[in-house]
Amino acid sequence: MQLEGKKIIVTGGANGVAEATVRRFAEEGANVVSLDIQDESGERVAREATAAGPGTVAYMHCDITQQDEVNRVFDAATQLLGGLDVLAAIAGTEAVKPAEDLTGEDIDKMIGVHLKHTVFTNAAAFRTMKDKGGSIINYGSHVAITGHFLDMSAYGAAKGAVQAWTRNVAREWAEYNIRVNAVGPAVWTPLAKRMFAELDTDTKQAFTDYFAWNVPLGGDLGDPLEPAKLNVFLASDNATFITGQMLQVDGGQVFAR
Ligand SMILES: NC(=O)c1ccc[n+]([C@@H]2O[C@H](COP(=O)([O-])OP(=O)(O)OC[C@H]3O[C@@H](n4cnc5c(N)ncnc54)[C@H](O)[C@@H]3O)[C@@H](O)[C@H]2O)c1
């Protein structure tokens, strides 16, 4: 087991990459608190992961865009866990709209769920990790690096901010032995399926052709288990000399920089 006894908080644990991560972390022996706003599936994933063991998963409701709520839930979670070794800040949502039509509300939503979420949870984790060190795993996106042929500029800008934050705190918190990295997945999750379902037939075909040509490994989006496996590595003591990196788990679609 690579994470035996590790104390971990995961955001977004009710679905997708974070759900797969919660399950993998428990399989590797970690004790996890999973946060989300979709309580029914969050509770179910926690129950199933604990039953599968050998680690445990507790679920707590937390809107990660609200700083007071994040601080309150992190206090409760770290108390339950008896400390904090790892934070995986994975929660997120998409936005598709032409750049020229974006409103202040659209921007606030993307900044809230991506940048504020990352800043609030990372800072809350720092307060516990600063004495003993730890690993923080944030979630960026290839959309911040390459842009996207769907209209995702607000999402891309917010993810770019997450990636810049990650590099900055990796330097700032290195003296506390806190490692901070970012991951960019390209996998079939409820988020990706939602976006695909909204496309017209021609765009669906263009999407499928794009992946066939641009994903060297497999020609398609991958399984959420793939970024979950990287999260296990980044959370483990095998990754103690890695910080400030943006790592893509996308079958070779994008080379991060
Ligand atoms: N799926 C991909 O291919 C892909 C590509 C690039 C980046 N990402 C990023 O990876 C991360 C995981 O994405 P996913 O595809 O698993 O998404 P998903 O939609 O399948 O799951 C995201 C989870 O975050 C939760 N969440 C959203 N807003 C929240 C809030 N305010 N408070 C608490 N929880 C909230 C949702 O309830 C959901 O359970 C996201 O940050 C996403 O932007 C995904």
Side-chain angles (χ1 to χ4, degrees), residues 12 14-18 36-38 62-65 90-93 113-114 139-142 155 159 185-187 189-192 194:
N15 288 285
V17 173
D36 209 294
I37 45 177
Q38 293 190 38
C62 182
D63 180 345
I64 43 74
T65 66
I90 307 177
T93 194
V113 86
H114 297 295
Y139 263 68
S141 173
H142 61 95
Y155 175 88
K159 286 300 199 186
V187 294
T189 60
L191 181 153
R194 225 168 24 239

PDB file of all heavy atoms in Angstrom, residues 12 14-18 36-38 62-65 90-93 113-114 139-142 155 159 185-187 189-192 194, ligand 1:
ATOM      1  N   GLY A  12     -14.597  17.530  -4.502  1.00  0.00           N
ATOM      2  CA  GLY A  12     -15.292  17.056  -5.712  1.00  0.00           C
ATOM      3  C   GLY A  12     -15.535  15.564  -5.729  1.00  0.00           C
ATOM      4  O   GLY A  12     -15.849  14.997  -6.783  1.00  0.00           O
ATOM      5  N   ALA A  14     -17.708  13.411  -5.263  1.00  0.00           N
ATOM      6  CA  ALA A  14     -18.957  12.727  -5.628  1.00  0.00           C
ATOM      7  C   ALA A  14     -18.944  12.194  -7.059  1.00  0.00           C
ATOM      8  O   ALA A  14     -19.787  11.360  -7.415  1.00  0.00           O
ATOM      9  CB  ALA A  14     -20.140  13.688  -5.457  1.00  0.00           C
ATOM     10  N   ASN A  15     -18.020  12.670  -7.896  1.00  0.00           N
ATOM     11  CA  ASN A  15     -18.060  12.316  -9.325  1.00  0.00           C
ATOM     12  C   ASN A  15     -16.662  12.320  -9.950  1.00  0.00           C
ATOM     13  O   ASN A  15     -15.747  12.970  -9.439  1.00  0.00           O
ATOM     14  CB  ASN A  15     -18.889  13.345 -10.118  1.00  0.00           C
ATOM     15  CG  ASN A  15     -20.365  13.240  -9.854  1.00  0.00           C
ATOM     16  OD1 ASN A  15     -21.020  12.318 -10.335  1.00  0.00           O
ATOM     17  ND2 ASN A  15     -20.881  14.168  -9.070  1.00  0.00           N
ATOM     18  N   GLY A  16     -16.575  11.679 -11.096  1.00  0.00           N
ATOM     19  CA  GLY A  16     -15.463  11.869 -12.034  1.00  0.00           C
ATOM     20  C   GLY A  16     -14.088  11.540 -11.479  1.00  0.00           C
ATOM     21  O   GLY A  16     -13.888  10.518 -10.800  1.00  0.00           O
ATOM     22  N   VAL A  17     -13.129  12.414 -11.785  1.00  0.00           N
ATOM     23  CA  VAL A  17     -11.726  12.195 -11.391  1.00  0.00           C
ATOM     24  C   VAL A  17     -11.608  12.089  -9.876  1.00  0.00           C
ATOM     25  O   VAL A  17     -10.881  11.233  -9.351  1.00  0.00           O
ATOM     26  CB  VAL A  17     -10.842  13.355 -11.903  1.00  0.00           C
ATOM     27  CG1 VAL A  17      -9.423  13.234 -11.368  1.00  0.00           C
ATOM     28  CG2 VAL A  17     -10.838  13.411 -13.433  1.00  0.00           C
ATOM     29  N   ALA A  18     -12.313  12.955  -9.147  1.00  0.00           N
ATOM     30  CA  ALA A  18     -12.194  12.953  -7.683  1.00  0.00           C
ATOM     31  C   ALA A  18     -12.829  11.697  -7.089  1.00  0.00           C
ATOM     32  O   ALA A  18     -12.311  11.140  -6.113  1.00  0.00           O
ATOM     33  CB  ALA A  18     -12.839  14.211  -7.099  1.00  0.00           C
ATOM     34  N   ASP A  36     -18.006  17.697  -1.246  1.00  0.00           N
ATOM     35  CA  ASP A  36     -18.757  17.999  -2.474  1.00  0.00           C
ATOM     36  C   ASP A  36     -20.045  18.706  -2.077  1.00  0.00           C
ATOM     37  O   ASP A  36     -20.311  18.880  -0.875  1.00  0.00           O
ATOM     38  CB  ASP A  36     -19.053  16.702  -3.273  1.00  0.00           C
ATOM     39  CG  ASP A  36     -19.157  16.949  -4.770  1.00  0.00           C
ATOM     40  OD1 ASP A  36     -20.092  17.648  -5.192  1.00  0.00           O
ATOM     41  OD2 ASP A  36     -18.304  16.455  -5.536  1.00  0.00           O
ATOM     42  N   ILE A  37     -20.842  19.100  -3.079  1.00  0.00           N
ATOM     43  CA  ILE A  37     -22.181  19.623  -2.795  1.00  0.00           C
ATOM     44  C   ILE A  37     -23.259  18.640  -3.261  1.00  0.00           C
ATOM     45  O   ILE A  37     -24.424  18.831  -2.966  1.00  0.00           O
ATOM     46  CB  ILE A  37     -22.407  21.014  -3.446  1.00  0.00           C
ATOM     47  CG1 ILE A  37     -21.913  21.035  -4.887  1.00  0.00           C
ATOM     48  CG2 ILE A  37     -21.748  22.102  -2.617  1.00  0.00           C
ATOM     49  CD1 ILE A  37     -22.173  22.348  -5.612  1.00  0.00           C
ATOM     50  N   GLN A  38     -22.857  17.598  -3.976  1.00  0.00           N
ATOM     51  CA  GLN A  38     -23.817  16.553  -4.389  1.00  0.00           C
ATOM     52  C   GLN A  38     -23.794  15.478  -3.303  1.00  0.00           C
ATOM     53  O   GLN A  38     -23.049  14.484  -3.397  1.00  0.00           O
ATOM     54  CB  GLN A  38     -23.433  15.976  -5.746  1.00  0.00           C
ATOM     55  CG  GLN A  38     -23.577  16.992  -6.872  1.00  0.00           C
ATOM     56  CD  GLN A  38     -23.436  16.344  -8.241  1.00  0.00           C
ATOM     57  OE1 GLN A  38     -23.898  15.233  -8.488  1.00  0.00           O
ATOM     58  NE2 GLN A  38     -22.801  17.054  -9.159  1.00  0.00           N
ATOM     59  N   CYS A  62     -19.477  20.566   1.406  1.00  0.00           N
ATOM     60  CA  CYS A  62     -18.695  21.810   1.415  1.00  0.00           C
ATOM     61  C   CYS A  62     -18.777  22.481   0.051  1.00  0.00           C
ATOM     62  O   CYS A  62     -18.351  21.904  -0.956  1.00  0.00           O
ATOM     63  CB  CYS A  62     -17.231  21.516   1.752  1.00  0.00           C
ATOM     64  SG  CYS A  62     -16.211  23.009   1.829  1.00  0.00           S
ATOM     65  N   ASP A  63     -19.323  23.703   0.016  1.00  0.00           N
ATOM     66  CA  ASP A  63     -19.259  24.515  -1.206  1.00  0.00           C
ATOM     67  C   ASP A  63     -17.889  25.180  -1.213  1.00  0.00           C
ATOM     68  O   ASP A  63     -17.629  26.106  -0.434  1.00  0.00           O
ATOM     69  CB  ASP A  63     -20.377  25.552  -1.205  1.00  0.00           C
ATOM     70  CG  ASP A  63     -20.351  26.414  -2.471  1.00  0.00           C
ATOM     71  OD1 ASP A  63     -19.324  26.397  -3.187  1.00  0.00           O
ATOM     72  OD2 ASP A  63     -21.342  27.114  -2.729  1.00  0.00           O
ATOM     73  N   ILE A  64     -17.032  24.724  -2.123  1.00  0.00           N
ATOM     74  CA  ILE A  64     -15.629  25.137  -2.089  1.00  0.00           C
ATOM     75  C   ILE A  64     -15.402  26.558  -2.617  1.00  0.00           C
ATOM     76  O   ILE A  64     -14.272  27.033  -2.638  1.00  0.00           O
ATOM     77  CB  ILE A  64     -14.712  24.109  -2.827  1.00  0.00           C
ATOM     78  CG1 ILE A  64     -15.338  23.627  -4.148  1.00  0.00           C
ATOM     79  CG2 ILE A  64     -14.459  22.909  -1.941  1.00  0.00           C
ATOM     80  CD1 ILE A  64     -15.339  24.562  -5.247  1.00  0.00           C
ATOM     81  N   THR A  65     -16.473  27.234  -3.013  1.00  0.00           N
ATOM     82  CA  THR A  65     -16.325  28.638  -3.432  1.00  0.00           C
ATOM     83  C   THR A  65     -16.474  29.595  -2.247  1.00  0.00           C
ATOM     84  O   THR A  65     -16.261  30.802  -2.403  1.00  0.00           O
ATOM     85  CB  THR A  65     -17.372  29.020  -4.504  1.00  0.00           C
ATOM     86  OG1 THR A  65     -18.678  28.960  -3.916  1.00  0.00           O
ATOM     87  CG2 THR A  65     -17.326  28.082  -5.689  1.00  0.00           C
ATOM     88  N   ILE A  90      -9.793  18.946  -6.524  1.00  0.00           N
ATOM     89  CA  ILE A  90     -10.156  18.464  -7.872  1.00  0.00           C
ATOM     90  C   ILE A  90     -11.481  19.036  -8.374  1.00  0.00           C
ATOM     91  O   ILE A  90     -11.702  19.126  -9.584  1.00  0.00           O
ATOM     92  CB  ILE A  90     -10.220  16.908  -7.873  1.00  0.00           C
ATOM     93  CG1 ILE A  90      -8.917  16.325  -7.327  1.00  0.00           C
ATOM     94  CG2 ILE A  90     -10.489  16.383  -9.277  1.00  0.00           C
ATOM     95  CD1 ILE A  90      -8.905  14.816  -7.211  1.00  0.00           C
ATOM     96  N   ALA A  91     -12.370  19.448  -7.469  1.00  0.00           N
ATOM     97  CA  ALA A  91     -13.712  19.912  -7.878  1.00  0.00           C
ATOM     98  C   ALA A  91     -13.618  20.947  -8.993  1.00  0.00           C
ATOM     99  O   ALA A  91     -12.669  21.734  -9.054  1.00  0.00           O
ATOM    100  CB  ALA A  91     -14.447  20.516  -6.677  1.00  0.00           C
ATOM    101  N   GLY A  92     -14.623  20.954  -9.858  1.00  0.00           N
ATOM    102  CA  GLY A  92     -14.629  21.953 -10.931  1.00  0.00           C
ATOM    103  C   GLY A  92     -15.885  21.835 -11.756  1.00  0.00           C
ATOM    104  O   GLY A  92     -16.675  20.911 -11.580  1.00  0.00           O
ATOM    105  N   THR A  93     -16.079  22.798 -12.628  1.00  0.00           N
ATOM    106  CA  THR A  93     -17.189  22.710 -13.583  1.00  0.00           C
ATOM    107  C   THR A  93     -16.815  23.483 -14.843  1.00  0.00           C
ATOM    108  O   THR A  93     -15.918  24.325 -14.819  1.00  0.00           O
ATOM    109  CB  THR A  93     -18.501  23.219 -12.944  1.00  0.00           C
ATOM    110  OG1 THR A  93     -19.593  22.810 -13.765  1.00  0.00           O
ATOM    111  CG2 THR A  93     -18.546  24.731 -12.811  1.00  0.00           C
ATOM    112  N   VAL A 113     -15.203  28.802  -8.764  1.00  0.00           N
ATOM    113  CA  VAL A 113     -15.112  27.344  -8.649  1.00  0.00           C
ATOM    114  C   VAL A 113     -13.690  26.831  -8.923  1.00  0.00           C
ATOM    115  O   VAL A 113     -13.322  25.760  -8.449  1.00  0.00           O
ATOM    116  CB  VAL A 113     -16.171  26.657  -9.556  1.00  0.00           C
ATOM    117  CG1 VAL A 113     -15.674  26.484 -10.957  1.00  0.00           C
ATOM    118  CG2 VAL A 113     -16.630  25.345  -8.978  1.00  0.00           C
ATOM    119  N   HIS A 114     -12.892  27.612  -9.665  1.00  0.00           N
ATOM    120  CA  HIS A 114     -11.525  27.158  -9.944  1.00  0.00           C
ATOM    121  C   HIS A 114     -10.486  27.902  -9.098  1.00  0.00           C
ATOM    122  O   HIS A 114      -9.834  27.299  -8.252  1.00  0.00           O
ATOM    123  CB  HIS A 114     -11.234  27.259 -11.446  1.00  0.00           C
ATOM    124  CG  HIS A 114     -12.127  26.358 -12.247  1.00  0.00           C
ATOM    125  ND1 HIS A 114     -12.072  24.992 -12.141  1.00  0.00           N
ATOM    126  CD2 HIS A 114     -13.124  26.626 -13.115  1.00  0.00           C
ATOM    127  CE1 HIS A 114     -12.991  24.445 -12.921  1.00  0.00           C
ATOM    128  NE2 HIS A 114     -13.644  25.423 -13.526  1.00  0.00           N
ATOM    129  N   TYR A 139      -5.939  21.103  -9.785  1.00  0.00           N
ATOM    130  CA  TYR A 139      -6.363  20.663 -11.110  1.00  0.00           C
ATOM    131  C   TYR A 139      -6.429  21.817 -12.106  1.00  0.00           C
ATOM    132  O   TYR A 139      -7.230  22.727 -11.970  1.00  0.00           O
ATOM    133  CB  TYR A 139      -7.693  19.869 -11.014  1.00  0.00           C
ATOM    134  CG  TYR A 139      -7.343  18.399 -10.989  1.00  0.00           C
ATOM    135  CD1 TYR A 139      -6.677  17.853  -9.883  1.00  0.00           C
ATOM    136  CD2 TYR A 139      -7.556  17.591 -12.096  1.00  0.00           C
ATOM    137  CE1 TYR A 139      -6.252  16.533  -9.884  1.00  0.00           C
ATOM    138  CE2 TYR A 139      -7.141  16.265 -12.103  1.00  0.00           C
ATOM    139  CZ  TYR A 139      -6.490  15.748 -10.999  1.00  0.00           C
ATOM    140  OH  TYR A 139      -6.059  14.441 -11.025  1.00  0.00           O
ATOM    141  N   GLY A 140      -5.537  21.776 -13.101  1.00  0.00           N
ATOM    142  CA  GLY A 140      -5.510  22.732 -14.199  1.00  0.00           C
ATOM    143  C   GLY A 140      -6.217  22.146 -15.404  1.00  0.00           C
ATOM    144  O   GLY A 140      -7.090  21.277 -15.273  1.00  0.00           O
ATOM    145  N   SER A 141      -5.859  22.609 -16.586  1.00  0.00           N
ATOM    146  CA  SER A 141      -6.476  22.081 -17.815  1.00  0.00           C
ATOM    147  C   SER A 141      -5.649  22.450 -19.034  1.00  0.00           C
ATOM    148  O   SER A 141      -5.060  23.530 -19.097  1.00  0.00           O
ATOM    149  CB  SER A 141      -7.878  22.654 -17.992  1.00  0.00           C
ATOM    150  OG  SER A 141      -8.388  22.262 -19.262  1.00  0.00           O
ATOM    151  N   HIS A 142      -5.679  21.547 -20.021  1.00  0.00           N
ATOM    152  CA  HIS A 142      -5.040  21.840 -21.310  1.00  0.00           C
ATOM    153  C   HIS A 142      -5.681  23.060 -21.969  1.00  0.00           C
ATOM    154  O   HIS A 142      -5.050  23.716 -22.804  1.00  0.00           O
ATOM    155  CB  HIS A 142      -5.137  20.624 -22.239  1.00  0.00           C
ATOM    156  CG  HIS A 142      -6.542  20.207 -22.554  1.00  0.00           C
ATOM    157  ND1 HIS A 142      -7.186  20.628 -23.674  1.00  0.00           N
ATOM    158  CD2 HIS A 142      -7.429  19.443 -21.889  1.00  0.00           C
ATOM    159  CE1 HIS A 142      -8.414  20.126 -23.701  1.00  0.00           C
ATOM    160  NE2 HIS A 142      -8.579  19.398 -22.620  1.00  0.00           N
ATOM    161  N   TYR A 155     -13.309  29.492 -18.782  1.00  0.00           N
ATOM    162  CA  TYR A 155     -12.787  28.300 -18.104  1.00  0.00           C
ATOM    163  C   TYR A 155     -11.264  28.258 -18.236  1.00  0.00           C
ATOM    164  O   TYR A 155     -10.541  28.062 -17.251  1.00  0.00           O
ATOM    165  CB  TYR A 155     -13.428  27.060 -18.728  1.00  0.00           C
ATOM    166  CG  TYR A 155     -12.913  25.729 -18.239  1.00  0.00           C
ATOM    167  CD1 TYR A 155     -13.465  25.103 -17.126  1.00  0.00           C
ATOM    168  CD2 TYR A 155     -11.871  25.076 -18.910  1.00  0.00           C
ATOM    169  CE1 TYR A 155     -13.000  23.873 -16.695  1.00  0.00           C
ATOM    170  CE2 TYR A 155     -11.402  23.843 -18.479  1.00  0.00           C
ATOM    171  CZ  TYR A 155     -11.973  23.244 -17.374  1.00  0.00           C
ATOM    172  OH  TYR A 155     -11.506  22.023 -16.947  1.00  0.00           O
ATOM    173  N   LYS A 159      -8.451  28.392 -15.251  1.00  0.00           N
ATOM    174  CA  LYS A 159      -7.483  27.299 -15.062  1.00  0.00           C
ATOM    175  C   LYS A 159      -6.045  27.814 -15.191  1.00  0.00           C
ATOM    176  O   LYS A 159      -5.143  27.322 -14.512  1.00  0.00           O
ATOM    177  CB  LYS A 159      -7.751  26.172 -16.065  1.00  0.00           C
ATOM    178  CG  LYS A 159      -8.987  25.340 -15.744  1.00  0.00           C
ATOM    179  CD  LYS A 159      -8.881  24.671 -14.388  1.00  0.00           C
ATOM    180  CE  LYS A 159      -9.844  23.503 -14.239  1.00  0.00           C
ATOM    181  NZ  LYS A 159      -9.838  22.957 -12.867  1.00  0.00           N
ATOM    182  N   PRO A 185      -6.130  16.561 -16.732  1.00  0.00           N
ATOM    183  CA  PRO A 185      -6.625  15.296 -17.284  1.00  0.00           C
ATOM    184  C   PRO A 185      -7.338  15.500 -18.620  1.00  0.00           C
ATOM    185  O   PRO A 185      -7.688  16.620 -18.976  1.00  0.00           O
ATOM    186  CB  PRO A 185      -7.633  14.849 -16.216  1.00  0.00           C
ATOM    187  CG  PRO A 185      -8.208  16.137 -15.713  1.00  0.00           C
ATOM    188  CD  PRO A 185      -7.101  17.169 -15.810  1.00  0.00           C
ATOM    189  N   ALA A 186      -7.544  14.425 -19.341  1.00  0.00           N
ATOM    190  CA  ALA A 186      -8.449  14.443 -20.500  1.00  0.00           C
ATOM    191  C   ALA A 186      -9.141  13.091 -20.506  1.00  0.00           C
ATOM    192  O   ALA A 186      -8.677  12.133 -21.138  1.00  0.00           O
ATOM    193  CB  ALA A 186      -7.679  14.695 -21.790  1.00  0.00           C
ATOM    194  N   VAL A 187     -10.242  12.995 -19.752  1.00  0.00           N
ATOM    195  CA  VAL A 187     -10.875  11.711 -19.479  1.00  0.00           C
ATOM    196  C   VAL A 187     -12.393  11.832 -19.495  1.00  0.00           C
ATOM    197  O   VAL A 187     -12.939  12.915 -19.266  1.00  0.00           O
ATOM    198  CB  VAL A 187     -10.404  11.154 -18.105  1.00  0.00           C
ATOM    199  CG1 VAL A 187      -8.918  10.819 -18.155  1.00  0.00           C
ATOM    200  CG2 VAL A 187     -10.669  12.131 -16.960  1.00  0.00           C
ATOM    201  N   THR A 189     -15.660  11.803 -17.964  1.00  0.00           N
ATOM    202  CA  THR A 189     -16.290  11.964 -16.641  1.00  0.00           C
ATOM    203  C   THR A 189     -17.681  12.552 -16.885  1.00  0.00           C
ATOM    204  O   THR A 189     -17.997  12.949 -18.020  1.00  0.00           O
ATOM    205  CB  THR A 189     -15.490  12.966 -15.802  1.00  0.00           C
ATOM    206  OG1 THR A 189     -15.486  14.213 -16.507  1.00  0.00           O
ATOM    207  CG2 THR A 189     -14.072  12.501 -15.539  1.00  0.00           C
ATOM    208  N   PRO A 190     -18.503  12.712 -15.838  1.00  0.00           N
ATOM    209  CA  PRO A 190     -19.783  13.402 -16.029  1.00  0.00           C
ATOM    210  C   PRO A 190     -19.597  14.768 -16.692  1.00  0.00           C
ATOM    211  O   PRO A 190     -20.395  15.157 -17.549  1.00  0.00           O
ATOM    212  CB  PRO A 190     -20.322  13.518 -14.605  1.00  0.00           C
ATOM    213  CG  PRO A 190     -19.776  12.302 -13.918  1.00  0.00           C
ATOM    214  CD  PRO A 190     -18.399  12.105 -14.493  1.00  0.00           C
ATOM    215  N   LEU A 191     -18.511  15.504 -16.329  1.00  0.00           N
ATOM    216  CA  LEU A 191     -18.261  16.826 -16.951  1.00  0.00           C
ATOM    217  C   LEU A 191     -18.061  16.679 -18.463  1.00  0.00           C
ATOM    218  O   LEU A 191     -18.712  17.357 -19.263  1.00  0.00           O
ATOM    219  CB  LEU A 191     -17.037  17.478 -16.293  1.00  0.00           C
ATOM    220  CG  LEU A 191     -16.596  18.870 -16.763  1.00  0.00           C
ATOM    221  CD1 LEU A 191     -15.862  19.591 -15.621  1.00  0.00           C
ATOM    222  CD2 LEU A 191     -15.714  18.849 -17.988  1.00  0.00           C
ATOM    223  N   ALA A 192     -17.175  15.774 -18.865  1.00  0.00           N
ATOM    224  CA  ALA A 192     -16.879  15.598 -20.296  1.00  0.00           C
ATOM    225  C   ALA A 192     -18.110  15.082 -21.045  1.00  0.00           C
ATOM    226  O   ALA A 192     -18.406  15.525 -22.166  1.00  0.00           O
ATOM    227  CB  ALA A 192     -15.702  14.638 -20.460  1.00  0.00           C
ATOM    228  N   ARG A 194     -21.265  15.561 -20.227  1.00  0.00           N
ATOM    229  CA  ARG A 194     -22.230  16.663 -20.291  1.00  0.00           C
ATOM    230  C   ARG A 194     -21.915  17.566 -21.485  1.00  0.00           C
ATOM    231  O   ARG A 194     -22.781  17.922 -22.263  1.00  0.00           O
ATOM    232  CB  ARG A 194     -22.084  17.483 -19.004  1.00  0.00           C
ATOM    233  CG  ARG A 194     -23.355  17.865 -18.348  1.00  0.00           C
ATOM    234  CD  ARG A 194     -23.235  18.417 -16.956  1.00  0.00           C
ATOM    235  NE  ARG A 194     -22.030  19.023 -16.495  1.00  0.00           N
ATOM    236  CZ  ARG A 194     -21.335  18.586 -15.440  1.00  0.00           C
ATOM    237  NH1 ARG A 194     -21.700  17.520 -14.771  1.00  0.00           N
ATOM    238  NH2 ARG A 194     -20.234  19.213 -15.058  1.00  0.00           N
TER     239      ARG A 194
HETATM  240  N1  LIG B   1     -12.713  15.581 -17.545  1.00  0.00           N
HETATM  241  C1  LIG B   1     -11.733  16.147 -18.220  1.00  0.00           C
HETATM  242  O1  LIG B   1     -11.325  15.665 -19.291  1.00  0.00           O
HETATM  243  C2  LIG B   1     -11.056  17.393 -17.687  1.00  0.00           C
HETATM  244  C3  LIG B   1     -10.180  18.079 -18.540  1.00  0.00           C
HETATM  245  C4  LIG B   1      -9.452  19.147 -18.028  1.00  0.00           C
HETATM  246  C5  LIG B   1      -9.625  19.541 -16.692  1.00  0.00           C
HETATM  247  N2  LIG B   1     -10.535  18.872 -15.900  1.00  0.00           N
HETATM  248  C6  LIG B   1     -10.659  19.310 -14.504  1.00  0.00           C
HETATM  249  O2  LIG B   1     -10.526  18.167 -13.666  1.00  0.00           O
HETATM  250  C7  LIG B   1     -11.325  18.332 -12.490  1.00  0.00           C
HETATM  251  C8  LIG B   1     -12.288  17.159 -12.335  1.00  0.00           C
HETATM  252  O3  LIG B   1     -13.197  17.196 -13.422  1.00  0.00           O
HETATM  253  P1  LIG B   1     -14.268  16.056 -13.718  1.00  0.00           P
HETATM  254  O4  LIG B   1     -14.275  15.886 -15.186  1.00  0.00           O
HETATM  255  O5  LIG B   1     -14.067  14.901 -12.822  1.00  0.00           O
HETATM  256  O6  LIG B   1     -15.618  16.877 -13.294  1.00  0.00           O
HETATM  257  P2  LIG B   1     -17.055  16.316 -12.811  1.00  0.00           P
HETATM  258  O7  LIG B   1     -18.061  17.364 -13.182  1.00  0.00           O
HETATM  259  O8  LIG B   1     -17.269  14.954 -13.345  1.00  0.00           O
HETATM  260  O9  LIG B   1     -16.903  16.294 -11.219  1.00  0.00           O
HETATM  261  C9  LIG B   1     -16.646  17.505 -10.537  1.00  0.00           C
HETATM  262  C10 LIG B   1     -17.172  17.455  -9.115  1.00  0.00           C
HETATM  263  O10 LIG B   1     -16.948  18.762  -8.527  1.00  0.00           O
HETATM  264  C11 LIG B   1     -18.077  19.075  -7.746  1.00  0.00           C
HETATM  265  N3  LIG B   1     -18.247  20.526  -7.557  1.00  0.00           N
HETATM  266  C12 LIG B   1     -18.539  21.470  -8.511  1.00  0.00           C
HETATM  267  N4  LIG B   1     -18.734  22.665  -7.949  1.00  0.00           N
HETATM  268  C13 LIG B   1     -18.559  22.497  -6.606  1.00  0.00           C
HETATM  269  C14 LIG B   1     -18.650  23.362  -5.481  1.00  0.00           C
HETATM  270  N5  LIG B   1     -18.968  24.669  -5.618  1.00  0.00           N
HETATM  271  N6  LIG B   1     -18.386  22.853  -4.246  1.00  0.00           N
HETATM  272  C15 LIG B   1     -18.069  21.539  -4.097  1.00  0.00           C
HETATM  273  N7  LIG B   1     -17.992  20.670  -5.115  1.00  0.00           N
HETATM  274  C16 LIG B   1     -18.244  21.132  -6.356  1.00  0.00           C
HETATM  275  C17 LIG B   1     -19.250  18.512  -8.539  1.00  0.00           C
HETATM  276  O11 LIG B   1     -20.418  18.375  -7.721  1.00  0.00           O
HETATM  277  C18 LIG B   1     -18.685  17.179  -9.030  1.00  0.00           C
HETATM  278  O12 LIG B   1     -18.942  16.131  -8.107  1.00  0.00           O
HETATM  279  C19 LIG B   1     -12.044  19.682 -12.653  1.00  0.00           C
HETATM  280  O13 LIG B   1     -11.314  20.687 -11.983  1.00  0.00           O
HETATM  281  C20 LIG B   1     -12.021  19.907 -14.157  1.00  0.00           C
HETATM  282  O14 LIG B   1     -12.134  21.267 -14.497  1.00  0.00           O
HETATM  283  C21 LIG B   1     -11.252  17.817 -16.383  1.00  0.00           C
END
